[in-house]
Amino acid sequence: FGLDRITFFENGVVSLNLPPVAQVIGARATRTTHPKVLRDFGSLFSKLLGGRRSVSNPFAWRTKAEVIDTIVRLGVRDQIRFTHSCADVHNRTIQHSHCGRCSQCIDRRFAMLSRGLETDDPAEAYAVDLLHGPRTSVQDREMILSYVRNARFHAMAGKDRFLYQFPEIARAVGETDKSPEDALTRFHDLYRRHGAAVTRVMDRALQNPSTREPKPNSLLALYREAEVEDLGPWTPAPAATPELEKIELVLDRKRKKAGLAGQAEMGGQTYRLVDCLAGHCLTALGQGLEYEDFPCVTAIELQDELRFADESSVRRLIKTTRTKFATCLEAAGITECDLLENVMPHGYRLTPERLHITVVPEKGTPAARRRSKRRQ
């Protein structure tokens, strides 16, 4: 079809698919959307078809619940009831579009409950209710209990413990556009958020007076038994780690200078590029977008916005700017930090989660400039 990229959307927890139990390793675990798989597909298609071909997953850093947040923000939550997540398609019925037993159903239902959207995902659509439905087979009981036990672990564990318990994560850290340390930090935080959401759902259900005597073999009954056996009290893991602290970028539009991390100022064409990308970043921030939704700008679009003669000039300027960024960061004692991302195949952007952008406006009194700086 003459395409140079394939883009699809899967939340990061399912994409990485860390083993729910020790036996699910190697070929026993499906990882069809794992970052390594996607990168290898891109490499394969490039060699077969020529040119650069890519396969990307823009939702790689989001949990299922955070994908739902995006759906709600876009005003289409009423469409959720018409979607399907179940893997057991052969036994689907008109009444029960979801089995409620497979990992996809479990993940979907927990995400919906964590956001209080039960009415948008009717319980009647599930053959087995998430919290109260009996799970008759050993496999089903182990599936649901392992899912919840692991979620609680993720909510509590620090980064080192996370890596020790799930060394499979090392397969993914080198397959992203982040540094290995930054990727590990983000993967840990992804699973921490996922685990906290699941644990909150379980805590609310167990504290409900109506669940004091849960049905035999239901999730609540199994969880109570497991909690007495080997699960301690829940203490949430710390959220952010020092690697993700913000770096100050100051744009002085009156003097046409950009300063990064308090280091030497950059002017000329470098300033023009940084100011252009910062404008897109601030617009997305003003729209309340999640970092993952911040737009990218292609080299051709930058050529038009900066009024360059050709695309190659833009790419040379991007390379020069990256070098200057690296010099400033090195002088500030910051290493392994890419502040000008190339998000293949979508284009370039300033890394939103790492930058705090302050703008000194081009015109106005000193007092007005200070007020504008505080607002930015």
Coordinates of all heavy atoms in Angstrom, one line a residue, residues 152-153 155-156 199 203 223 227-228 230-237:
R152 N -0.5 -5.7 43.5 CA -0.2 -5.2 44.8 C 1.3 -5.1 45.0 O 1.8 -4.1 45.6 CB -0.8 -6.1 45.9 CG -0.7 -5.5 47.3 CD -1.6 -6.2 48.2 NE -1.6 -5.6 49.5 CZ -2.5 -5.9 50.5 NH1 -3.3 -6.9 50.3 NH2 -2.5 -5.3 51.6
F153 N 2.1 -6.0 44.5 CA 3.5 -5.9 44.5 C 4.0 -4.7 43.8 O 4.8 -3.9 44.3 CB 4.1 -7.2 43.9 CG 5.6 -7.1 43.6 CD1 6.5 -7.3 44.6 CD2 6.1 -6.7 42.4 CE1 7.9 -7.2 44.4 CE2 7.4 -6.5 42.1 CZ 8.3 -6.8 43.2
A155 N 2.5 -1.9 43.2 CA 2.1 -0.7 43.9 C 3.1 -0.4 45.1 O 3.2 0.7 45.5 CB 0.7 -0.8 44.5
M156 N 3.7 -1.5 45.6 CA 4.5 -1.3 46.8 C 6.0 -1.3 46.5 O 6.8 -0.7 47.2 CB 4.3 -2.5 47.8 CG 2.8 -2.5 48.3 SD 2.5 -4.1 49.2 CE 3.7 -4.0 50.5
T199 N -5.1 -2.1 43.3 CA -5.2 -2.2 44.8 C -6.3 -1.4 45.4 O -7.0 -1.8 46.3 CB -3.8 -1.9 45.4 OG1 -2.8 -2.7 44.8 CG2 -3.8 -2.1 46.9
D203 N -9.3 -2.7 47.7 CA -9.5 -2.1 49.1 C -10.9 -1.6 49.3 O -11.6 -1.8 50.3 CB -8.5 -1.0 49.3 CG -7.1 -1.5 49.6 OD1 -6.9 -2.8 49.7 OD2 -6.2 -0.7 49.6
Y223 N -9.0 -13.7 47.6 CA -8.1 -12.6 48.0 C -8.0 -12.6 49.6 O -6.9 -12.4 50.1 CB -8.5 -11.3 47.5 CG -7.6 -10.1 47.8 CD1 -6.5 -9.9 46.9 CD2 -7.8 -9.2 48.8 CE1 -5.6 -8.9 47.2 CE2 -6.9 -8.2 49.0 CZ -5.9 -8.0 48.2 OH -5.0 -6.9 48.4
E227 N -4.6 -13.0 51.5 CA -4.1 -11.9 52.3 C -3.7 -12.4 53.7 O -2.6 -12.0 54.2 CB -5.1 -10.8 52.4 CG -4.7 -9.6 53.1 CD -5.7 -8.5 53.1 OE1 -6.9 -8.8 53.1 OE2 -5.4 -7.3 53.1
V228 N -4.4 -13.3 54.2 CA -4.1 -13.9 55.5 C -2.8 -14.7 55.4 O -2.0 -14.7 56.3 CB -5.3 -14.7 56.1 CG1 -4.8 -15.5 57.3 CG2 -6.5 -13.9 56.4
D230 N -0.2 -14.6 52.9 CA 1.1 -14.1 52.5 C 1.2 -12.6 52.0 O 2.2 -12.2 51.6 CB 1.8 -14.9 51.4 CG 1.0 -15.0 50.1 OD1 0.0 -14.3 50.0 OD2 1.4 -15.7 49.2
L231 N 0.1 -11.9 52.1 CA 0.1 -10.5 51.7 C 0.0 -9.6 52.9 O -0.9 -9.7 53.7 CB -1.1 -10.2 50.7 CG -1.0 -11.0 49.4 CD1 -2.2 -10.6 48.6 CD2 0.2 -10.7 48.6
G232 N 1.0 -8.7 53.0 CA 1.0 -7.7 54.1 C 0.2 -6.5 53.8 O -0.4 -6.4 52.7
P233 N 0.2 -5.5 54.7 CA -0.5 -4.3 54.4 C 0.1 -3.5 53.3 O 1.3 -3.5 53.0 CB -0.4 -3.5 55.8 CG 0.9 -4.1 56.4 CD 0.9 -5.5 56.0
W234 N -0.8 -2.8 52.6 CA -0.4 -2.0 51.4 C 0.3 -0.7 51.8 O -0.4 0.1 52.4 CB -1.6 -1.8 50.5 CG -1.2 -1.0 49.3 CD1 -0.1 -1.1 48.5 CD2 -2.0 0.0 48.7 NE1 -0.1 -0.2 47.5 CE2 -1.3 0.5 47.6 CE3 -3.3 0.6 49.0 CZ2 -1.8 1.6 46.8 CZ3 -3.7 1.6 48.2 CH2 -3.0 2.1 47.1
T235 N 1.5 -0.5 51.4 CA 2.2 0.8 51.5 C 2.6 1.2 50.1 O 3.5 0.6 49.5 CB 3.4 0.6 52.4 OG1 3.0 0.1 53.7 CG2 4.1 2.0 52.6
P236 N 2.0 2.3 49.6 CA 2.3 2.7 48.2 C 3.8 3.0 48.0 O 4.4 3.6 48.9 CB 1.4 3.9 48.0 CG 0.4 3.8 49.0 CD 1.0 3.1 50.2
A237 N 4.3 2.6 46.9 CA 5.7 2.9 46.5 C 5.8 4.4 46.2 O 4.8 5.0 45.8 CB 6.1 2.1 45.3

